[in-house]
Amino acid sequence: MLAATAPAPRRAAVEAVEKNSRAAARTESAAHAYAHVTKVLVERHESRPTEADVLSYAAAKKPVEAICSLAMICKVPPELIESLLDEQRREPFMMMCKAANFKWPTVRALIEMREPPGPALQNALTKACEDFNRIAPAVARQALNLWQKKAG
């Protein structure tokens, strides 16, 4: 790439620009994919996907469809759903699901969709279920309102 041919003092700067360009391309590509899938889902579900649709997509390991459906239900950008789902802490993501009135099996399927199977996942799911059941619906709705305002 360009970094290999640049003089030593400039190599780090060139590498940083190339890395940021690749990250920007991935972000742009994701945004394009989300826009396309959202358009398809609007037609498929008449702009009203349901929790059952999200569960079906998650169980089928179709993350873009699951993320876009949840985003449509919550009226937030898909990128927000993805960032919450990818966070180390699951509470914000689970608050979004609680605000959407989702039940634990759907939340579990969404988590399993993104995590490798194994004993660590099973332990994490047990704790996540307990945490999900402790989230007060009113608090979850307040958090969703904040996310909607921030995105709006």
Side-chain angles (χ1 to χ4, degrees), residues 14-46:
V14 171
E15 287 173 354
V17 168
E18 288 176 345
K19 180 180 178 183
N20 288 338
S21 294
R22 287 190 299 274
R26 280 193 305 275
T27 301
E28 187 175 310
S29 176
H32 180 69
Y34 286 141
H36 174 73
V37 169
T38 298
K39 183 178 177 184
V40 170
L41 293 173
V42 164
E43 293 170 8
R44 183 179 299 158
H45 301 293
E46 297 178 1

Side-chain angles (χ1 to χ4, degrees), residues 74-94:
C74 293
K75 296 179 176 67
V76 297
E79 293 83 0
L80 173 61
I81 301 292
E82 181 178 31
S83 70
L84 293 176
L85 189 55
D86 286 344
E87 279 188 20
Q88 190 80 19
R89 290 182 52 240
R90 289 192 176 93
E91 290 85 0
F93 170 73
M94 292 191 301

Side-chain angles (χ1 to χ4, degrees), residues 55-116:
L55 176 58
S56 175
Y57 293 133
K61 305 290 190 224
K62 294 183 174 184
V64 176
E65 290 86 346
I67 288 168
C68 288
S69 293
L70 180 54
M72 290 170 67
I73 290 168
C74 293
K75 296 179 176 67
V76 297
E79 293 83 0
L80 173 61
I81 301 292
E82 181 178 31
S83 70
L84 293 176
L85 189 55
D86 286 344
E87 279 188 20
Q88 190 80 19
R89 290 182 52 240
R90 289 192 176 93
E91 290 85 0
F93 170 73
M94 292 191 301
M95 288 181 79
M96 182 76 70
C97 293
K98 182 70 85 163
N101 294 316
F102 282 10
K103 304 293 183 251
W104 172 246
T106 304
V107 178
R108 179 185 178 116
L110 287 162
I111 293 170
E112 289 175 326
M113 173 183 76
R114 297 293 273 234
E115 299 289 333

